[in-house]
Amino acid sequence: SNAGRTMNLNIASGATVTLPAASGTGNTYRFFVQTTVTSNSYKIQVANANDTMSGVAVVANDGGATASIFETAADSDTITLNGTTTGGILGGQVEIQDVASNKFRVLINQAATGSEATPFSAAVS
């Protein structure tokens, strides 16, 4: 029911969002970091161990006018924004689209601090 809408991530203590199973509907899910996460993390994860994400995160580095780009791995199924190194800072954006059975396309635009790191992992079993 949230497809096509922008959902605000606005809980400083973090939250976990589980996507519906990927089936190729074309549905798009957008997230906006309205409140920087200060404890725990914002996590966006797939519904089951068969679904994966493919795409990139473009991360503005806190040192100078530079950016880092992180790609998903073949088994990526979770996005973790921790409020520092992997994002989750006010203004961050995540767009996820259900493109095929068991496959989501993902694009992240955000800022990070410290030693910037990938927000992608394989955590759903």
Side-chain angles (χ1 to χ4, degrees):
S1 65
N2 290 315
R5 297 174 52 194
T6 299
M7 292 158 276
N8 292 324
L9 299 174
N10 58 8
I11 302 170
S13 60
T16 298
V17 176
T18 302
L19 299 167
S23 61
T25 63
N27 287 342
T28 300
Y29 306 92
R30 293 179 188 88
F31 301 88
F32 175 73
V33 179
Q34 185 179 13
T35 302
T36 299
V37 65
T38 56
S39 62
N40 303 309
S41 296
Y42 291 128
K43 290 185 181 182
I44 303 169
Q45 61 190 25
V46 300
N48 60 67
N50 296 318
D51 290 352
T52 58
M53 300 174 176
S54 294
V56 298
V58 179
V59 179
N61 300 334
D62 60 340
T66 61
S68 298
I69 300 173
F70 298 100
E71 298 175 285
T72 55
D75 60 353
S76 295
D77 59 21
T78 301
I79 298 166
T80 302
L81 308 175
N82 64 8
T84 58
T85 60
T86 63
I89 297 169
L90 174 65
Q93 301 170 48
V94 178
E95 182 177 285
I96 301 170
Q97 185 177 27
D98 178 355
V99 294
S101 180
N102 303 125
K103 185 62 69 181
F104 288 100
R105 175 194 61 82
V106 60
L107 176 62
I108 300 173
N109 291 300
Q110 65 178 358
T113 62
S115 297
E116 290 81 3
T118 183
F120 302 117
S121 65
V124 177
S125 56

